[in-house]
Amino acid sequence: MDKANSSVVPEFVLLGLCSSQKLQLFYFFFFSMLYMVIVLGNLLIILTVTFDTSLHSPMYFLLGNLSFIDICQASFATPKMIADFLSEHKTISFSGCIAQIFFIHLFTGGEMVLLVSMAYDRYVAICKPLYYVIIMSRRTCTALVTISWAVGLVHTLSQLSFTANLPFCGPNVVDSFFCDLPRVTKLACLDSNIIEILIVVNSGVLSLSTFSLLVSSYIIILVTVLLKSSAATAKAFSTLASHIAVVILFFGPCIFIYVWPFTIYPVDKLLGIFYTVFTPILNPIIYTLRNRDMKAAIRKIVNYYLRPRIISEMSLVVRTSLH
């Protein structure tokens, strides 16, 4: 199958974000910095959740897994996009293009289900607090994470089952910075209406169903919170606000792009940047800046690991200057 396709279209040309050399140089430094922040910020969350025993709870276990998926989601296309800013010929092989399609749907599908799991965790914590420890056991949390990866895998394999075999016999220019499925489908040498309907059925149903579950669960949680005391209300609202912000920022671009793939809009590039770069960088910011326990744990780890090293280095400099 790969040989048949590659003999006609061995590679695709990515137009990227812009054609201006000055803007591309600016984008190179800008997105390089963002990518470093994404990786370091989410790694910090993973390390904090792993090593701070006070955060060994279901909510932070799921948050650590969300950070891992965010690193993966930012890494499937962003490094190549950054490298392409310094290249005149932005190309990607046929197999590389298929790999990008595979990973984006694996990670986005998995994150959708993981966000539902996080909403379920908050539902149990607020609506059934007496049964929280029993319901959200370690086995349950592991099962929820496993299910999220399994759904992502089934989702992306079903996409590839009818995408990888498409005949590409001529046009190979993708007006994006990565192989976005709706844009690649448009290049196939056949009527793509049926394929687009399959994309809607696959991605659209997954996006809308998980989004509907999230909205329903948060409505139930908010109604329950409003019936409780003011102190509990304030704390719950603070946590829920973080979750709702992540849901809106993540699902908005995905639903817009994949529920209506029949028409390609110029804003699709911006939305693609949003859920591949900006959402992974916003998650650690939202969850850390609005979470008192997380900020305290990060401060503790930074003080434990970095401050002694800084003090020892300063003392070494002082001793050297005295000698």
Side-chain angles (χ1 to χ4, degrees):
M1 176 265 296
D2 286 351
K3 291 181 180 179
N5 277 317
S6 61
S7 63
V8 180
V9 178
E11 63 184 15
F12 291 95
V13 178
L14 303 175
L15 295 184
L17 294 180
C18 67
S19 58
S20 170
Q21 291 294 329
K22 291 183 179 179
L23 273 179
Q24 289 193 48
L25 188 60
F26 167 76
Y27 284 152
F28 172 79
F29 290 106
F30 178 70
F31 284 106
S32 295
M33 183 176 63
L34 285 184
Y35 182 67
M36 289 179 61
V37 173
I38 290 170
V39 174
L40 294 177
N42 283 289
L43 272 178
L44 181 59
I45 290 179
I46 294 172
L47 293 174
T48 303
V49 170
T50 302
F51 293 108
D52 194 307
T53 55
S54 65
L55 299 182
H56 288 178
S57 66
M59 183 179 76
Y60 294 108
F61 174 76
L62 296 174
L63 175 59
N65 281 275
L66 178 65
S67 293
F68 177 73
I69 291 182
D70 280 337
I71 293 175
C72 296
Q73 188 167 315
S75 300
F76 86 94
T78 306
K80 175 166 177 52
M81 177 187 69
I82 293 172
D84 283 345
F85 287 133
L86 301 180
S87 175
E88 292 185 8
H89 304 287
K90 303 174 179 61
T91 60
I92 184 171
S93 65
F94 178 84
S95 58
C97 185
I98 294 299
Q100 284 194 343
I101 294 174
F102 172 84
F103 285 119
I104 185 175
H105 289 280
L106 172 66
F107 299 139
T108 53
E111 183 160 345
M112 287 178 186
V113 180
L114 187 60
L115 289 173
V116 173
S117 302
M118 296 176 73
Y120 176 70
D121 170 74
R122 291 300 85 204
Y123 165 78
V124 176
I126 295 173
C127 301
K128 300 180 182 295
L130 297 179
Y131 300 97
Y132 181 74
V133 177
I134 299 174
I135 296 175
M136 296 303 296
S137 63
R138 186 74 177 183
R139 179 180 296 179
T140 302
C141 293
T142 304
L144 290 173
V145 172
T146 304
I147 290 172
S148 69
W149 282 103
V151 171
L153 182 62
V154 172
H155 168 61
T156 193
L157 289 178
S158 62
Q159 295 283 45
L160 289 182
S161 66
F162 53 81
T163 304
N165 290 312
L166 288 175
F168 296 97
C169 54
N172 67 335
V173 178
V174 181
D175 188 13
S176 184
F177 62 94
F178 72 101
C179 285
D180 198 8
L181 182 57
R183 295 178 183 271
V184 173
T185 303
K186 292 286 186 182
L187 302 178
C189 301
L190 50 73
D191 187 1
S192 61
N193 288 335
I194 296 177
I195 303 300
E196 290 171 342
I197 292 173
L198 292 174
I199 293 173
V200 171
V201 172
N202 197 325
S203 295
V205 168
L206 178 62
S207 301
L208 292 177
S209 59
T210 50
F211 184 71
S212 300
L213 283 173
L214 286 167
V215 171
S216 301
S217 63
Y218 284 130
I219 290 175
I220 295 172
I221 293 171
L222 289 174
V223 171
T224 305
V225 165
L226 291 174
L227 299 177
K228 293 190 175 183
S229 64
S230 58
T233 300
K235 185 176 181 180
F237 265 122
S238 177
T239 303
L240 288 177
S242 302
H243 287 239
I244 293 172
V246 169
V247 167
I248 293 174
L249 293 172
F250 178 74
F251 276 88
C254 290
I255 291 175
F256 185 87
I257 292 175
Y258 287 100
V259 175
W260 293 282
F262 299 94
T263 305
I264 302 297
Y265 298 97
V267 74
D268 286 354
K269 278 189 184 182
L270 177 61
L271 294 177
I273 282 286
F274 205 88
Y275 71 80
T276 56
V277 178
F278 289 116
T279 299
I281 200 175
L282 287 174
N283 281 353
I285 294 174
I286 290 173
Y287 280 109
T288 53
L289 293 182
R290 297 187 60 87
N291 191 305
R292 187 178 303 173
D293 295 335
M294 198 71 191
K295 286 191 290 185
I298 290 176
R299 195 179 300 114
K300 188 192 305 181
I301 286 182
V302 170
N303 290 339
Y304 181 81
Y305 286 102
L306 295 184
R307 183 167 292 183
R309 183 178 299 178
I310 294 174
I311 293 175
S312 62
E313 289 178 355
M314 290 179 62
S315 61
L316 180 63
V317 170
V318 171
R319 286 198 299 269
T320 304
S321 61
L322 290 175
H323 290 295

